[in-house]
Amino acid sequence: MASEPVRPENSKRSLSIRVSKLIRVQLERGKVGVETVAGQLNMSRYTLHKKLREEGLTFAALLEQVRREQALTYMKDKTKPLVEIAEQLGFSELSAFSRAFKRWMGTPPAEYRSLRLS
């Protein structure tokens, strides 16, 4: 049996998955950059943006999604200070993280932690 050809929608989906994984790795190292991620995928920044746009996504949207997922994971550890979580997610200040978290979850991180994770 011959294998089925790769469908465009599958290869598109795999690009966003690969970009998300690379964003996670970059966050762990402390800094996320579209140039770095594009380089790791052997493409220019422009090409990366273009291919993501074809999927209806942007690099910024993927970064936001990964940060949100990671934030929820980090928030489960009640001993981890919010400042540390903000730094691990690449936010310059706790206030920037707090605004983003409130936008994602509808409540500030300290309140979320005390109400939802108690």
Side-chain angles (χ1 to χ4, degrees):
M1 262 189 210
S3 62
E4 287 187 38
V6 176
R7 294 188 177 136
E9 62 273 7
N10 290 339
S11 64
K12 287 178 184 176
R13 217 175 292 128
S14 68
L15 175 65
S16 60
I17 290 168
R18 287 186 298 162
V19 170
S20 293
K21 285 179 182 177
L22 289 171
I23 288 171
R24 254 185 219 92
V25 169
Q26 292 299 314
L27 276 175
E28 290 171 8
R29 294 181 181 161
K31 185 158 177 145
V32 178
V34 66
E35 294 284 345
T36 304
V37 172
Q40 290 175 325
L41 293 168
N42 297 315
M43 61 180 72
S44 70
R45 176 183 181 153
Y46 174 79
T47 301
L48 177 59
H49 281 297
K50 181 180 170 192
K51 289 184 181 226
L52 287 174
R53 194 170 42 247
E54 288 171 3
E55 289 186 52
L57 295 168
T58 64
F59 185 84
L62 288 174
L63 175 59
E64 180 107 345
Q65 177 185 335
V66 170
R67 280 179 162 169
R68 180 181 182 274
E69 291 167 1
Q70 292 297 106
L72 293 173
T73 299
Y74 294 153
M75 290 291 284
K76 291 176 185 172
D77 179 359
K78 288 188 169 196
T79 64
K80 187 176 282 206
L82 293 178
V83 172
E84 186 178 325
I85 293 172
E87 287 174 4
Q88 287 180 311
L89 295 175
F91 288 96
S92 57
E93 296 181 11
L94 177 58
S95 60
F97 168 66
S98 294
R99 282 191 304 274
F101 193 89
K102 187 172 182 179
R103 185 175 65 245
W104 300 329
M105 305 308 295
T107 184
E111 187 179 321
Y112 177 89
R113 187 179 254 178
S114 66
L115 293 176
R116 304 254 172 110
L117 301 175
S118 49

